[in-house]
Amino acid sequence: MKSVKILLFFLTLGLGTLTACSSVEMTKEKTSKNDLQTENMEIDTHIDKGELAHEENSMQEESKDQNEQSNEDNVSAEETMENEDQANGNKSLSVQIIKEKLKLGQSNDEVEHLLGTDYQKGIGAKNSEQLWRYDIGKDENHQPLNDELFDAIDVEGLNSRVIEAQIFITWYEDGTVEKYSIYYINNETGNVDNYRVYYDEKGDIQRIIK
């Protein structure tokens, strides 16, 4: 009888051990599944972040390309306008643009590139200086009153708007711009303004409007 009790005790102990082991295994398996699900979620999150970053980079590249294309189009449009101005004798080249782009020290070629080749050469009546004269936007049928004097200002033509502006350029012996004057109608006052650019005695550039 005693032996049977001992046997039952060990059988009960064994079953308890097996049950505990099974519970541990089930817990491990459940933990493993949870870990696997967590890893899959982290992988999915990384993938989503990677795809989002890729999309953002693609959008930035596309925006950059559009900006570069826009800049190229603007430059191309400006070059086209300049080429058209030169082809038309710069009739549409505004006085403001001439003020900004015509510089002291520029060469003959640079001035021709800016203002074109439709100019006249002559000698100034006051100082016997070598001059170029541009009659910007001049009506082909217009004949100045003082056509005999090369450096005479065509005030009548400017006032009647048959000429947009007159430019007189004085040159150094080395073929660079020494000084220049632009005569044009001031739209606010209706008067003929004289915009002069020259070097003073100190070598500083002076810009005067009279």
Side-chain angles (χ1 to χ4, degrees), residues 30-210:
K30 185 176 182 180
T31 302
S32 178
K33 287 182 179 180
N34 290 335
D35 292 341
L36 182 60
Q37 289 178 351
T38 302
E39 290 178 359
N40 290 336
M41 290 177 63
E42 290 178 352
I43 292 173
D44 291 339
T45 301
H46 288 309
I47 292 175
D48 291 340
K49 289 182 178 179
E51 290 178 350
L52 181 59
H54 179 71
E55 290 178 359
E56 290 178 350
N57 291 334
S58 298
M59 292 177 65
Q60 291 176 355
E61 289 294 332
E62 184 177 353
S63 177
K64 182 179 178 181
D65 292 340
Q66 289 177 350
N67 291 334
E68 290 177 352
Q69 183 63 42
S70 177
N71 292 334
E72 290 176 0
D73 292 341
N74 290 335
V75 171
S76 178
E78 290 178 358
E79 291 176 349
T80 300
M81 289 177 64
E82 289 185 359
N83 292 335
E84 289 177 352
D85 286 337
Q86 292 173 5
N88 295 327
N90 284 321
K91 289 184 179 180
S92 60
L93 196 61
S94 70
V95 171
Q96 184 60 38
I97 293 177
I98 296 173
K99 287 180 179 181
E100 294 173 357
K101 294 191 174 183
L102 184 57
K103 308 290 185 182
L104 300 183
Q106 286 180 330
S107 66
N108 299 153
D109 291 339
E110 289 174 318
V111 172
E112 287 183 346
H113 180 74
L114 173 63
L115 300 177
T117 57
D118 186 13
Y119 58 87
Q120 298 180 42
K121 294 182 179 181
I123 304 296
K126 293 182 180 179
N127 302 317
S128 299
E129 298 170 319
Q130 293 288 338
L131 299 175
W132 283 13
R133 188 185 78 198
Y134 282 91
D135 297 329
I136 304 296
K138 177 184 175 183
D139 189 315
E140 295 179 356
N141 298 321
H142 173 64
Q143 186 67 28
L145 294 178
N146 297 324
D147 198 28
E148 298 84 7
L149 297 176
F150 179 76
D151 56 351
I153 313 305
D154 189 1
V155 177
E156 181 186 11
L158 291 168
N159 282 326
S160 60
R161 306 302 176 98
V162 294
I163 181 172
E164 295 178 12
Q166 278 191 306
I167 305 173
F168 295 90
I169 302 174
T170 304
W171 299 90
Y172 285 116
E173 292 182 357
D174 64 357
T176 57
V177 176
E178 177 184 355
K179 58 185 177 181
Y180 66 87
S181 295
I182 306 175
Y183 294 87
Y184 60 96
I185 291 293
N186 185 318
N187 292 327
E188 294 182 359
T189 64
N191 299 324
V192 175
D193 281 356
N194 175 17
Y195 177 78
R196 296 176 57 209
V197 181
Y198 61 95
Y199 290 109
D200 63 15
E201 295 178 353
K202 296 180 180 180
D204 297 326
I205 297 176
Q206 299 295 324
R207 295 176 174 85
I208 299 176
I209 299 178
K210 291 185 177 181

